[in-house]
Amino acid sequence: MNAEAGGAAVVELDPEERLDLLLRDLRSTRRGLSSREAARRLVRYGPNELRRRGGRRWPGELVRQAVHPLALLLWAAALLAWWAGIAAVAVAIVVVIVVNAAFAFVQEMQAERAVETLAAYLPAHATVVRDGHVHQVEAVTLVPGDVLAIEEGDRISADARLIEGGIEVDLSPLTGEAMPAYRAADRGSR
């Protein structure tokens, strides 16, 4: 299967656009880009990677845990208990909220660190068509206009449009859906 890679730095492209017009807009062909053109685009558009937000995020993340919908319900229960004169119950509920928020925050931070560590050890690769030949490249070097060759079990490392065939895609990292979604190149299946 082949797919056309696109990047965020490119002008918005219509996903329903005819393939010949899409390739024209991206200045690409089914034979892919030349290695020289791919290198030029990498300099122009930058690497194909997600940038991590900088700065101190932990105070906001901790507050987010304390205002989660269930936590809000518990805050309301604590407030009602306080108004009813049952201070011990109100304090106990607030302690439960704080402890739950702390545990959830610590778990989330540990999971984030584990994913980052794993990503550092497993650099993503992609199979592209460049100079009319199939090459294995690091996913960060994908550029708008690259033609990806996708096989069963491959990770799709960039926004892409199928130009032939059909595949089932695991979208769970993006949407949380457990069932794979079918994607096809022909317009009738969209």
Side-chain angles (χ1 to χ4, degrees), residues 107-121:
Q107 275 188 315
E108 200 168 290
M109 296 308 276
Q110 287 177 338
E112 192 173 302
R113 277 193 221 110
V115 168
E116 288 173 359
T117 302
L118 184 59
Y121 287 107

Side-chain angles (χ1 to χ4, degrees), residues 127-148:
T127 306
V128 298
V129 180
R130 289 194 180 154
D131 300 316
H133 297 85
V134 176
H135 298 281
Q136 188 84 7
V137 299
E138 287 190 35
V140 295
T141 65
L142 292 175
V143 295
D146 263 337
V147 175
L148 303 173

Side-chain angles (χ1 to χ4, degrees), residues 147-162:
V147 175
L148 303 173
I150 301 170
E151 295 179 1
E152 185 177 345
D154 284 354
R155 289 176 53 195
I156 301 172
S157 306
D159 283 347
R161 175 175 167 188
L162 287 173

Side-chain angles (χ1 to χ4, degrees), residues 1 10 21-22 41 65 76 83 94 111 140-141 152 174 184 187:
M1 314 245 167
V10 175
L21 297 176
L22 177 66
R41 290 182 187 197
Q65 294 296 337
W83 278 342
V94 169
V140 295
T141 65
E152 185 177 345
L174 301 174
R187 290 180 170 209

Side-chain angles (χ1 to χ4, degrees), residues 5-188:
V10 175
V11 177
E12 283 290 321
L13 299 172
D14 180 7
E16 298 292 325
E17 185 175 27
R18 285 192 354 235
L19 181 60
D20 58 334
L21 297 176
L22 177 66
L23 290 171
R24 182 201 67 198
D25 291 348
L26 289 170
R27 295 187 178 108
S28 186
T29 68
R30 286 178 175 262
R31 294 176 39 90
L33 300 171
S34 68
S35 295
R36 182 178 172 140
E37 177 62 16
R40 187 186 72 73
R41 290 182 187 197
L42 183 60
V43 170
R44 180 174 179 198
Y45 297 114
N48 174 42
E49 61 186 359
L50 296 174
R51 289 180 191 86
R52 185 175 162 85
R53 288 181 276 155
R56 289 179 43 171
R57 291 184 15 223
W58 69 267
E61 293 293 324
L62 194 55
V63 168
R64 188 175 62 83
Q65 294 296 337
V67 295
H68 187 273
L70 182 59
L72 291 175
L73 191 61
L74 289 172
W75 282 114
L79 190 60
L80 288 173
W82 186 266
W83 278 342
I86 313 171
V89 172
V91 169
I93 292 173
V94 169
V95 168
V96 167
I97 294 170
V98 170
V99 169
N100 182 58
F103 278 126
F105 171 75
V106 168
Q107 275 188 315
E108 200 168 290
M109 296 308 276
Q110 287 177 338
E112 192 173 302
R113 277 193 221 110
V115 168
E116 288 173 359
T117 302
L118 184 59
Y121 287 107
L122 300 172
H125 289 82
T127 306
V128 298
V129 180
R130 289 194 180 154
D131 300 316
H133 297 85
V134 176
H135 298 281
Q136 188 84 7
V137 299
E138 287 190 35
V140 295
T141 65
L142 292 175
V143 295
D146 263 337
V147 175
L148 303 173
I150 301 170
E151 295 179 1
E152 185 177 345
D154 284 354
R155 289 176 53 195
I156 301 172
S157 306
D159 283 347
R161 175 175 167 188
L162 287 173
I163 60 177
E164 66 182 45
I167 58 173
E168 286 190 352
V169 182
D170 176 15
L171 298 175
S172 61
L174 301 174
T175 64
E177 294 181 27
M179 298 301 294
Y182 182 74
R183 299 291 187 251
D186 63 341
R187 290 180 170 209

